[in-house]
Amino acid sequence: MIIIMKDNASAKEIVAVEKVLEEYGFKTHPIEGEKKTIIGAIGDKRQLSMNQILLMSGVENVVPIMKPYKLASKELQKEQSVIDVGYGVTVGGNKLAVFAGPCAIESQEQFTTVSRSVKEAGANILRGGAFKPRSSPYSFQGLEGEGLEIMYNSGKELGMPICTEVVDTRDVDLVAKYADIMQIGARNMQNFKLLREVGKTNKPILLKRGLASTMEEWLMAAEYIMSEGNENVILCERGIRTYETATRNTFDLSAIPVSKELSHLPIIADPSHATGSYKYVAPIAKGAIAAGADGLMIEVHNCPEKAASDGPQSLKPEKFNTLMKELDLIAKAVGRELL
Amino acid sequence: MIIIMKDNASAKEIVAVEKVLEEYGFKTHPIEGEKKTIIGAIGDKRQLSMNQILLMSGVENVVPIMKPYKLASKELQKEQSVIDVGYGVTVGGNKLAVFAGPCAIESQEQFTTVSRSVKEAGANILRGGAFKPRSSPYSFQGLEGEGLEIMYNSGKELGMPICTEVVDTRDVDLVAKYADIMQIGARNMQNFKLLREVGKTNKPILLKRGLASTMEEWLMAAEYIMSEGNENVILCERGIRTYETATRNTFDLSAIPVSKELSHLPIIADPSHATGSYKYVAPIAKGAIAAGADGLMIEVHNCPEKAASDGPQSLKPEKFNTLMKELDLIAKAVGRELL
Amino acid sequence: MIIIMKDNASAKEIVAVEKVLEEYGFKTHPIEGEKKTIIGAIGDKRQLSMNQILLMSGVENVVPIMKPYKLASKELQKEQSVIDVGYGVTVGGNKLAVFAGPCAIESQEQFTTVSRSVKEAGANILRGGAFKPRSSPYSFQGLEGEGLEIMYNSGKELGMPICTEVVDTRDVDLVAKYADIMQIGARNMQNFKLLREVGKTNKPILLKRGLASTMEEWLMAAEYIMSEGNENVILCERGIRTYETATRNTFDLSAIPVSKELSHLPIIADPSHATGSYKYVAPIAKGAIAAGADGLMIEVHNCPEKAASDGPQSLKPEKFNTLMKELDLIAKAVGRELL
Amino acid sequence: MIIIMKDNASAKEIVAVEKVLEEYGFKTHPIEGEKKTIIGAIGDKRQLSMNQILLMSGVENVVPIMKPYKLASKELQKEQSVIDVGYGVTVGGNKLAVFAGPCAIESQEQFTTVSRSVKEAGANILRGGAFKPRSSPYSFQGLEGEGLEIMYNSGKELGMPICTEVVDTRDVDLVAKYADIMQIGARNMQNFKLLREVGKTNKPILLKRGLASTMEEWLMAAEYIMSEGNENVILCERGIRTYETATRNTFDLSAIPVSKELSHLPIIADPSHATGSYKYVAPIAKGAIAAGADGLMIEVHNCPEKAASDGPQSLKPEKFNTLMKELDLIAKAVGRELL
């Protein structure tokens, strides 16, 4: 790390900072400028909080040099991770992953209908919500256990991995029993206890970006999961909160190349939650694939106007089918496979 | 609710919308403009999702008229809530509440030292973290159960209520056993399962505003707690995420008068987390009291440069003591009591 | 517009609001709900400020029904505008427009070198800055008049339209003499006097989105230009300000489909300013074309490390050349032409 | 500045960076860590763009050490500036400055009425808009020259300095002839040509913070004015753009202490534009004074429901009068004078 001293820092203050750094095993390299002294400090900063130095007399600022995440970074693993999610499907390889299904699971009949249609259109992973985080306590909260069984039946019938959200540490074991991929939703991205619990399982984790999380916080959330031993983390960009109200969130396309620069983890895009409107799902999905995403998560409902949750952002099966064909052309244009 | 039809909506589309509304028991009042028809619909919208209408052919937009929260609003209760938090202390009354203490509980000795000093300075509630949500899995995560006991001892010794955060549904019973006030942190503001669990206890809940939550989402989180039967919710503004990097978060002063306009719940301010720097704690604390806050939560540490967490935003006891005297003058200027 | 009265609004207050509305020629349609009365008002709201009603006793809110922009909307013109920018090049048609060149014009030699290379790679419009808005008064501010001549020479030599920014009402005539397309930069998007001045010329205007402007504000800025008689406005998404610091701005991909929904004006994307880093230009450019953008603006510099401005986001000519070939594949995949 | 090399930077790359730095007169101090080398560079960075180094092979990042503004910083002037604005009124001293008046000047009668009432209530500077930046081209744009005369008459009659906005470089001389203080509005904070023009006059400048400007950009805008020789700059916090919609903007209370930390320039607060609602003006005004603001700018209108602009945020004279008395108590509580 680098310690920037104040303009008028005294020699005594500079020595005091160096002394503390040395006590913690750092090698110090002071550099005297015309107005300021800066101190380069070489060592393992995990032993020492930057704050300790920041609060010392005469210190203006402390600049970290190393990234705070390790396992999620390219430091230890340079090549792209390819994650096996079951039934022969992978995320992160040349073939794109397409997670599709309704926002909420409403009944076996509804889920079977939608699942069959998305499979036919070319999706390779089923998605659906059994436990639903809803902003109102008066909204439908999901079928919970029953929903898990419904998904499980459809996954087995169609030979497709299923992905569903877990929202409570108490449910992790239950969800892990049914799901092939467990999802951590945007609102739980910094629910650290939940991250630790799913990190103790051996199921791949789909980690959605928090509503207003930075790339660094997102990779730190992945680090939480990975530090418990589960390295099968899939990132999912689903839009961030900004001042713009024309869409529900603002889809951050840059998250795709930036994550590829910083991490070996695969990343997919969720245009349904990012925009909140079925009208914008297709262009955002195409843009994400063109920019290098490893897959998509798209909400599909056979009757969006009767959906228990998030109808306005769901595609009807025939629109999803058309979109998959259009996406296939884009995938080929960037050297990937979709259908 | 009001349904705004598209410019070119046909008579058939308009009738279809009216029919669905009437099926759900709404009375409809179509108004034909030169370009557009709008439909006023009177009824209980909880039976019908706005989305159902929004997705119908010919519909441009649906505008809700009623607020989505009830218990947290002034609809059912107009007068300001005053919440009894134990040991004769209330939040929301004329006397201001001052929560003070270290970010993390590090040892009985540390907590006792800080607690005694903040009591002497005039604080009336002890705060401290036993379970710490930290952005890095490699940072100190709190003393957990041991920390609760330490707090409990100090509260009893000094005759002061204690407030501490709960981060996991599995810990709610344990924390409720020790704490007088349970805190829901910013990162868990939309951890709905946790909100429901604390809503089932009879302990007052300090509900921090989410990192990037709107006023409406915040009041909906309060509604989650209240809908389980626990109406003792205290709001806490702790800064929101914006593009500005000069402070860790941006303290939203308007949250104070806006919450007073929308809700009967008391609101306090946390200038320590809002700014991330001890240098800015005093001016923000003063501003909050002047603007009508019902209290403050301030981090105090006897040795901030050795704090296990958030040292840079902690005040030393002597600075806190001075600040309390300054705050007392402001409190008086707005007709409140502090010391 | 719709007037929502407060829960406890009196009959007298309701009548008073209706009376004012009727004075302004509105037809009023009160709807009495169980708790609230709402009033639908049909008429031309330009005669009456919503504020006048909003401040009347008993009024809770006023909801506008019509969009505030007309000329930029699809109300009067449904089909996509195709704008002729000279030398046989159009923006908004099936063939994509590619604006390329250096951030700042540094010399005839530099500009000639870059211009020739971008033409060879397939760009069809030259871009370059003669008047540079710089955040520091101590930074290079552009060659001004000399820069305009340099661009003009290159445009003529290569038979390509040139696009350059105008930053001062006093310079509009001068810039209009040389440029084929005049650019309004992000910082001037709400410099209304400048918008009016360029609206009085007959040159196509490239209107960059403001640093933190909503879609509506952006289209209102277009309306300013169009209301003076110049309807040749090209929108340019260049990233918005958010809390994320991994890129200089956050490229808002949704702006492309949203603008297509709301307006007939063509829209291009500027991945160079949106990201601030050459590393991310290619993926964002690809994503924008896949999502339906009508073109791109890309910074190219023969020697980015010596650029007078914005070097880190400039592509070297050979990288630009490769990118154009990749973009051509994406363009074809979405049914457009590039090369 | 500090240059952080990539993990795998070669000795050759390191030497190349040092060589360029030395060519520009920097003294270099390389520090070799276990994984990375960093290079401290001492010299005048105005000669060398950080970008030049940032783009060199093997360089990961460049960290500046010095602030980019000089005249606005405390480097050259440590004591608080006190700015004489005429008629014996100053901004930045112990006595608080209160700018009051209508958003737009509508007629001599209206302005005289409001001016007299605000003077009586204790305001010491008149504000009013003659040139109005409006988001719609169809809204009232101000009385322009006639408005300036109206203000001038009232200022002279009442012996009070007048403050009004200038929006076009072509109008600077005209406005300077009438106004005692010229205002640069939020939308023009980065209209650098306008900043330079007002910097050439000798009139105090009220510089509003841009809609989404950082503290650093704001101080750089002040630097633009000061670098032309006019050091009489008064900062004005008027709310920033965030995701929150409960208020028009989010008043950034921290801007007050942060500006005091970084700069010697006085700062006032504008609660009217910050909130957009008269209901929130009083609490924000009180909070700003308590936090250390040097004054306020408040919109007052004798008949807000008929105001040509921004009626909903204007106080009626009697409410303003009451507020001034309440503010006086807060001012005294923080050791300042108001009435």
Side-chain angles (χ1 to χ4, degrees):
Chain A
M1 74 180 97
I2 297 161
I3 293 87
I4 303 170
M5 303 298 295
K6 286 183 182 159
D7 285 18
N8 55 359
S10 68
K12 210 170 136 188
E13 287 170 331
I14 294 167
V15 168
V17 170
E18 289 188 82
K19 211 181 134 201
V20 170
L21 288 165
E22 282 157 14
E23 274 171 20
Y24 280 91
F26 283 79
K27 287 192 190 156
T28 61
H29 302 260
I31 304 174
E32 258 177 72
E34 221 172 300
K35 301 218 166 168
K36 277 177 188 308
T37 292
I38 64 173
I39 305 172
I42 306 295
D44 182 354
K45 97 175 153 63
R46 291 196 217 160
Q47 306 299 318
L48 173 78
S49 161
M50 272 169 48
N51 292 340
Q52 275 176 264
I53 301 299
L54 191 53
L55 283 163
M56 290 187 70
S57 177
V59 173
E60 182 175 298
N61 206 359
V62 178
V63 181
I65 303 297
M66 305 298 286
K67 299 261 179 276
Y69 44 87
K70 305 277 167 197
L71 304 169
S73 82
K74 285 181 151 173
E75 209 179 301
L76 302 177
Q77 182 187 327
K78 294 216 183 315
E79 67 279 11
Q80 163 80 43
S81 285
V82 179
I83 295 174
D84 184 342
V85 297
Y87 293 99
V89 177
T90 58
V91 183
N94 195 59
K95 168 106 176 164
L96 298 172
V98 180
F99 296 62
C103 183
I105 297 158
E106 294 160 31
S107 69
Q108 185 70 64
E109 196 196 338
Q110 169 240 19
F111 196 71
T112 302
T113 307
V114 175
S115 298
R116 286 180 188 163
S117 74
V118 300
K119 183 179 183 174
E120 208 175 324
N124 45 16
I125 302 168
L126 294 177
R127 64 141 287 148
F131 297 94
K132 299 297 310 166
R134 300 302 298 274
S135 51
S136 168
Y138 310 120
S139 298
F140 174 62
Q141 311 272 321
L143 292 182
E144 311 213 332
E146 194 192 331
L148 295 175
E149 280 181 44
I150 289 171
M151 286 199 87
Y152 182 79
N153 295 340
S154 290
K156 224 170 136 186
E157 179 206 325
L158 300 171
M160 292 170 80
I162 62 173
C163 172
T164 197
E165 184 167 353
V166 57
V167 298
D168 191 332
T169 49
R170 296 171 302 188
D171 300 331
V172 170
D173 289 347
L174 178 72
V175 177
K177 224 171 73 184
Y178 289 100
D180 299 291
I181 305 166
M182 284 195 287
Q183 176 181 317
I184 298 292
R187 286 171 187 76
N188 280 314
M189 196 204 83
Q190 291 194 316
N191 182 338
F192 302 118
K193 291 279 184 177
L194 186 59
L195 297 177
R196 284 199 187 282
E197 284 306 314
V198 301
K200 288 173 190 156
T201 73
N202 63 356
K203 295 285 178 175
I205 305 301
L206 184 87
L207 179 65
K208 289 206 160 186
R209 185 178 185 178
L211 292 167
S213 297
T214 61
M215 294 300 301
E216 187 167 305
E217 288 167 340
W218 194 8
L219 291 171
M220 286 306 284
E223 189 86 5
Y224 255 94
I225 298 167
M226 298 170 87
S227 70
E228 293 291 337
N230 184 349
E231 305 217 341
N232 296 314
V233 177
I234 302 161
L235 303 172
C236 178
E237 163 65 26
R238 43 77 71 206
I240 58 173
R241 179 151 282 180
T242 71
Y243 67 84
E244 177 59 77
T245 55
T247 43
R248 190 160 61 183
N249 297 290
T250 296
F251 181 73
D252 179 10
L253 185 66
S254 305
I256 297 165
V258 171
S259 76
K260 295 286 176 204
E261 175 86 8
L262 300 175
S263 175
H264 55 84
L265 298 173
I267 182 168
I268 69 164
D270 175 349
S272 309
H273 284 89
T275 62
S277 168
Y278 72 92
K279 285 182 285 192
Y280 306 133
V281 166
I284 302 303
K286 292 177 193 173
I289 295 306
D294 297 304
L296 295 166
M297 173 171 269
I298 294 179
E299 287 190 4
V300 180
H301 199 286
N302 51 331
C303 186
E305 57 275 32
K306 299 227 166 135
S309 167
D310 280 344
Q313 71 197 35
S314 296
L315 294 188
K316 290 191 184 169
E318 54 273 25
K319 280 206 176 144
F320 177 67
N321 193 38
T322 307
L323 173 58
M324 287 294 280
K325 286 180 186 131
E326 292 170 357
L327 288 171
D328 189 47
L329 299 175
I330 312 251
K332 287 199 177 86
V334 293
R336 305 289 284 262
E337 274 176 65
L338 182 83
L339 292 180
Chain B
M1 75 180 97
I2 297 161
I3 294 87
I4 302 170
M5 302 298 294
K6 286 183 183 159
D7 284 17
N8 54 359
S10 69
K12 209 170 138 188
E13 287 170 331
I14 294 168
V15 168
V17 170
E18 288 187 83
K19 210 180 133 202
V20 170
L21 288 165
E22 283 157 13
E23 274 171 20
Y24 280 91
F26 283 80
K27 285 191 192 157
T28 60
H29 303 259
I31 303 175
E32 257 178 73
E34 219 173 302
K35 300 219 168 169
K36 277 177 189 308
T37 292
I38 64 173
I39 304 171
I42 306 296
D44 182 354
K45 95 176 157 60
R46 292 196 215 158
Q47 305 299 321
L48 172 80
S49 161
M50 273 168 49
N51 293 340
Q52 275 175 263
I53 301 299
L54 191 52
L55 283 163
M56 289 186 72
S57 177
V59 173
E60 183 175 296
N61 207 358
V62 178
V63 181
I65 302 296
M66 306 298 286
K67 299 260 178 278
Y69 43 89
K70 305 275 169 198
L71 304 170
S73 81
K74 285 180 152 173
E75 209 179 303
L76 302 177
Q77 182 187 329
K78 294 217 185 313
E79 67 279 12
Q80 163 81 42
S81 286
V82 178
I83 295 173
D84 183 343
V85 298
Y87 292 100
V89 178
T90 58
V91 183
N94 195 58
K95 167 106 176 165
L96 298 172
V98 180
F99 297 62
C103 183
I105 297 158
E106 294 160 31
S107 69
Q108 184 70 65
E109 196 196 338
Q110 169 242 17
F111 196 72
T112 301
T113 307
V114 175
S115 298
R116 287 179 187 164
S117 73
V118 300
K119 182 180 183 176
E120 208 175 326
N124 44 16
I125 301 167
L126 294 177
R127 62 141 289 148
F131 296 94
K132 299 297 309 165
R134 302 300 300 274
S135 52
S136 167
Y138 310 121
S139 298
F140 174 62
Q141 312 270 322
L143 293 182
E144 311 213 331
E146 195 193 332
L148 294 175
E149 281 180 43
I150 289 171
M151 285 198 88
Y152 182 79
N153 295 339
S154 290
K156 224 169 135 185
E157 179 206 327
L158 300 171
M160 291 171 80
I162 63 172
C163 172
T164 197
E165 183 167 353
V166 57
V167 299
D168 191 333
T169 49
R170 297 173 300 188
D171 300 330
V172 170
D173 288 346
L174 178 71
V175 177
K177 224 171 72 184
Y178 290 101
D180 298 291
I181 304 167
M182 286 196 285
Q183 176 179 316
I184 298 292
R187 286 170 187 76
N188 280 313
M189 196 204 82
Q190 290 194 318
N191 182 338
F192 302 117
K193 292 278 186 180
L194 186 59
L195 297 177
R196 284 197 186 282
E197 285 305 314
V198 300
K200 289 173 190 157
T201 73
N202 62 355
K203 295 285 178 175
I205 306 301
L206 185 88
L207 179 65
K208 290 207 158 186
R209 184 178 186 177
L211 292 167
S213 297
T214 61
M215 294 300 300
E216 185 167 306
E217 288 167 341
W218 194 9
L219 291 172
M220 286 305 285
E223 189 85 4
Y224 256 95
I225 298 167
M226 297 170 88
S227 70
E228 294 290 337
N230 184 349
E231 304 217 342
N232 296 314
V233 177
I234 302 160
L235 303 172
C236 179
E237 162 66 27
R238 44 75 73 205
I240 58 173
R241 179 152 282 181
T242 72
Y243 67 84
E244 176 59 76
T245 55
T247 43
R248 191 162 58 183
N249 297 292
T250 296
F251 181 73
D252 179 10
L253 185 65
S254 306
I256 297 165
V258 171
S259 76
K260 295 287 177 203
E261 175 86 8
L262 300 175
S263 174
H264 55 84
L265 298 173
I267 182 167
I268 68 163
D270 175 349
S272 308
H273 284 89
T275 62
S277 168
Y278 71 92
K279 284 183 285 191
Y280 305 134
V281 166
I284 302 303
K286 292 177 193 174
I289 295 306
D294 297 304
L296 295 166
M297 173 171 268
I298 294 179
E299 288 190 5
V300 179
H301 199 285
N302 52 331
C303 186
E305 57 274 33
K306 299 226 166 136
S309 169
D310 280 344
Q313 72 197 34
S314 296
L315 294 188
K316 289 190 185 172
E318 54 272 26
K319 281 206 175 144
F320 177 68
N321 194 38
T322 306
L323 174 58
M324 288 294 281
K325 286 180 185 130
E326 293 170 356
L327 288 171
D328 189 46
L329 299 175
I330 313 252
K332 287 200 177 84
V334 293
R336 304 289 285 264
E337 274 176 65
L338 183 82
L339 293 180
Chain C
M1 74 181 96
I2 297 162
I3 293 86
I4 303 170
M5 302 299 294
K6 286 183 183 160
D7 284 18
N8 55 358
S10 68
K12 210 171 135 185
E13 287 169 333
I14 293 167
V15 168
V17 170
E18 287 188 81
K19 212 182 131 200
V20 170
L21 287 165
E22 283 157 13
E23 274 171 20
Y24 280 91
F26 282 80
K27 287 192 190 154
T28 61
H29 303 260
I31 304 174
E32 257 178 73
E34 219 172 301
K35 302 219 167 169
K36 277 178 190 306
T37 292
I38 63 173
I39 305 171
I42 306 297
D44 183 353
K45 96 176 156 61
R46 291 197 216 158
Q47 305 299 319
L48 173 79
S49 161
M50 273 169 48
N51 293 340
Q52 274 175 263
I53 301 300
L54 191 51
L55 283 162
M56 289 186 72
S57 178
V59 173
E60 183 176 297
N61 207 357
V62 178
V63 180
I65 301 298
M66 307 297 288
K67 298 262 180 276
Y69 43 88
K70 305 278 168 196
L71 305 170
S73 81
K74 285 180 152 174
E75 209 179 302
L76 301 177
Q77 182 186 328
K78 293 214 185 313
E79 67 280 11
Q80 163 79 45
S81 287
V82 178
I83 295 173
D84 184 342
V85 297
Y87 293 99
V89 178
T90 58
V91 183
N94 194 59
K95 168 105 176 166
L96 298 172
V98 180
F99 297 62
C103 183
I105 297 159
E106 295 160 29
S107 69
Q108 184 70 65
E109 195 195 339
Q110 170 241 19
F111 196 71
T112 301
T113 307
V114 175
S115 297
R116 287 179 188 165
S117 73
V118 300
K119 182 180 185 177
E120 208 175 326
N124 44 16
I125 302 169
L126 294 177
R127 64 141 286 147
F131 296 93
K132 299 297 309 167
R134 301 301 298 274
S135 51
S136 167
Y138 311 120
S139 297
F140 173 62
Q141 310 272 323
L143 292 183
E144 310 212 331
E146 193 193 331
L148 294 175
E149 281 181 43
I150 289 171
M151 286 199 87
Y152 182 80
N153 295 339
S154 290
K156 224 170 136 186
E157 178 206 327
L158 300 171
M160 292 171 81
I162 63 174
C163 173
T164 197
E165 184 168 352
V166 57
V167 298
D168 191 334
T169 50
R170 297 172 301 188
D171 300 330
V172 171
D173 289 346
L174 178 71
V175 177
K177 223 172 73 185
Y178 289 102
D180 298 291
I181 304 167
M182 286 196 286
Q183 176 180 317
I184 298 292
R187 286 170 187 76
N188 281 314
M189 196 204 83
Q190 291 194 317
N191 182 338
F192 301 118
K193 292 278 186 180
L194 185 60
L195 297 177
R196 284 198 186 282
E197 284 305 314
V198 300
K200 289 174 190 156
T201 74
N202 62 355
K203 296 283 179 176
I205 306 300
L206 185 87
L207 179 65
K208 290 207 159 187
R209 185 178 185 178
L211 291 167
S213 297
T214 61
M215 294 301 300
E216 186 167 305
E217 289 167 340
W218 194 8
L219 291 172
M220 285 307 285
E223 189 86 4
Y224 256 95
I225 298 168
M226 297 169 88
S227 71
E228 294 290 338
N230 184 349
E231 304 217 343
N232 296 314
V233 177
I234 302 160
L235 304 172
C236 177
E237 162 65 27
R238 44 75 74 205
I240 58 173
R241 179 151 282 182
T242 71
Y243 67 84
E244 176 59 78
T245 55
T247 43
R248 190 162 59 184
N249 296 291
T250 296
F251 181 74
D252 179 9
L253 185 65
S254 306
I256 297 165
V258 171
S259 76
K260 296 286 177 204
E261 175 86 8
L262 299 176
S263 174
H264 55 84
L265 298 173
I267 182 168
I268 68 163
D270 175 349
S272 308
H273 284 89
T275 62
S277 168
Y278 71 92
K279 285 183 286 193
Y280 305 133
V281 166
I284 301 303
K286 291 177 194 173
I289 295 306
D294 297 303
L296 295 166
M297 173 171 268
I298 294 179
E299 288 190 5
V300 179
H301 199 287
N302 51 332
C303 186
E305 57 274 31
K306 300 226 164 135
S309 169
D310 279 344
Q313 71 197 33
S314 297
L315 294 188
K316 290 189 185 171
E318 53 274 24
K319 280 205 176 144
F320 177 68
N321 194 37
T322 306
L323 174 58
M324 288 294 280
K325 286 181 184 129
E326 293 171 357
L327 287 172
D328 189 46
L329 298 175
I330 313 250
K332 288 201 175 84
V334 292
R336 305 288 286 260
E337 275 176 67
L338 183 82
L339 292 182
Chain D
M1 74 182 97
I2 298 161
I3 293 87
I4 302 170
M5 303 297 295
K6 286 183 182 158
D7 284 17
N8 55 359
S10 68
K12 210 172 136 187
E13 287 170 332
I14 294 166
V15 168
V17 170
E18 289 188 80
K19 212 181 131 201
V20 169
L21 287 165
E22 283 157 12
E23 275 171 19
Y24 280 90
F26 282 79
K27 285 193 191 156
T28 61
H29 303 261
I31 303 175
E32 257 177 73
E34 222 172 299
K35 301 220 167 168
K36 278 178 188 308
T37 292
I38 64 172
I39 304 172
I42 305 297
D44 182 354
K45 94 175 156 62
R46 291 198 217 157
Q47 305 299 321
L48 173 78
S49 160
M50 272 170 46
N51 293 339
Q52 274 175 266
I53 301 299
L54 191 53
L55 283 163
M56 290 186 71
S57 177
V59 173
E60 183 175 295
N61 206 357
V62 177
V63 180
I65 302 299
M66 306 298 287
K67 299 262 179 274
Y69 44 87
K70 305 277 169 199
L71 304 170
S73 82
K74 285 181 151 173
E75 209 178 302
L76 302 176
Q77 182 188 328
K78 293 214 185 312
E79 67 280 11
Q80 163 80 43
S81 286
V82 178
I83 295 174
D84 184 343
V85 297
Y87 293 99
V89 177
T90 59
V91 184
N94 195 59
K95 167 106 175 162
L96 298 173
V98 179
F99 297 62
C103 184
I105 296 158
E106 295 160 30
S107 69
Q108 183 71 63
E109 195 196 339
Q110 169 241 18
F111 196 70
T112 301
T113 307
V114 176
S115 298
R116 287 180 188 165
S117 74
V118 300
K119 183 180 184 176
E120 208 175 325
N124 44 17
I125 301 168
L126 294 177
R127 64 141 287 147
F131 297 93
K132 298 298 308 167
R134 301 301 298 275
S135 51
S136 167
Y138 311 120
S139 298
F140 173 62
Q141 311 272 321
L143 292 183
E144 311 213 330
E146 193 193 332
L148 295 176
E149 281 181 43
I150 290 171
M151 285 198 88
Y152 182 79
N153 295 339
S154 290
K156 224 169 137 188
E157 177 205 328
L158 300 171
M160 292 171 79
I162 64 173
C163 172
T164 197
E165 184 168 352
V166 56
V167 298
D168 191 333
T169 49
R170 296 172 302 188
D171 300 330
V172 170
D173 288 346
L174 178 70
V175 177
K177 224 172 70 185
Y178 290 100
D180 298 291
I181 305 167
M182 285 195 287
Q183 176 179 317
I184 298 292
R187 286 170 187 76
N188 280 313
M189 196 204 84
Q190 290 195 318
N191 182 338
F192 301 118
K193 292 278 184 178
L194 186 59
L195 297 177
R196 285 199 186 282
E197 285 305 315
V198 300
K200 288 173 190 156
T201 72
N202 63 355
K203 296 284 178 177
I205 307 301
L206 184 88
L207 180 65
K208 289 208 158 185
R209 185 178 184 177
L211 291 168
S213 297
T214 61
M215 294 300 301
E216 186 167 305
E217 288 166 341
W218 194 9
L219 291 172
M220 285 307 285
E223 190 86 5
Y224 255 95
I225 298 168
M226 298 170 87
S227 71
E228 294 290 337
N230 184 349
E231 304 217 342
N232 295 315
V233 178
I234 302 161
L235 303 172
C236 178
E237 163 65 27
R238 42 78 71 206
I240 58 173
R241 178 151 282 182
T242 71
Y243 66 85
E244 176 59 76
T245 55
T247 43
R248 190 160 60 183
N249 297 290
T250 297
F251 181 73
D252 180 9
L253 184 66
S254 305
I256 297 165
V258 171
S259 76
K260 295 286 178 205
E261 175 86 9
L262 299 175
S263 175
H264 55 85
L265 298 173
I267 182 167
I268 69 163
D270 175 349
S272 308
H273 284 89
T275 62
S277 168
Y278 73 91
K279 285 183 284 191
Y280 306 133
V281 166
I284 302 304
K286 291 177 194 174
I289 296 305
D294 297 304
L296 295 166
M297 172 170 269
I298 294 179
E299 288 190 3
V300 179
H301 199 286
N302 51 332
C303 186
E305 56 275 32
K306 299 227 166 136
S309 168
D310 279 343
Q313 71 197 33
S314 296
L315 294 188
K316 289 190 186 172
E318 54 274 24
K319 280 207 176 143
F320 177 67
N321 193 38
T322 306
L323 174 58
M324 288 294 280
K325 286 181 185 129
E326 293 171 356
L327 288 171
D328 189 47
L329 299 175
I330 313 251
K332 289 201 176 84
V334 293
R336 304 288 285 261
E337 276 175 65
L338 181 82
L339 292 182

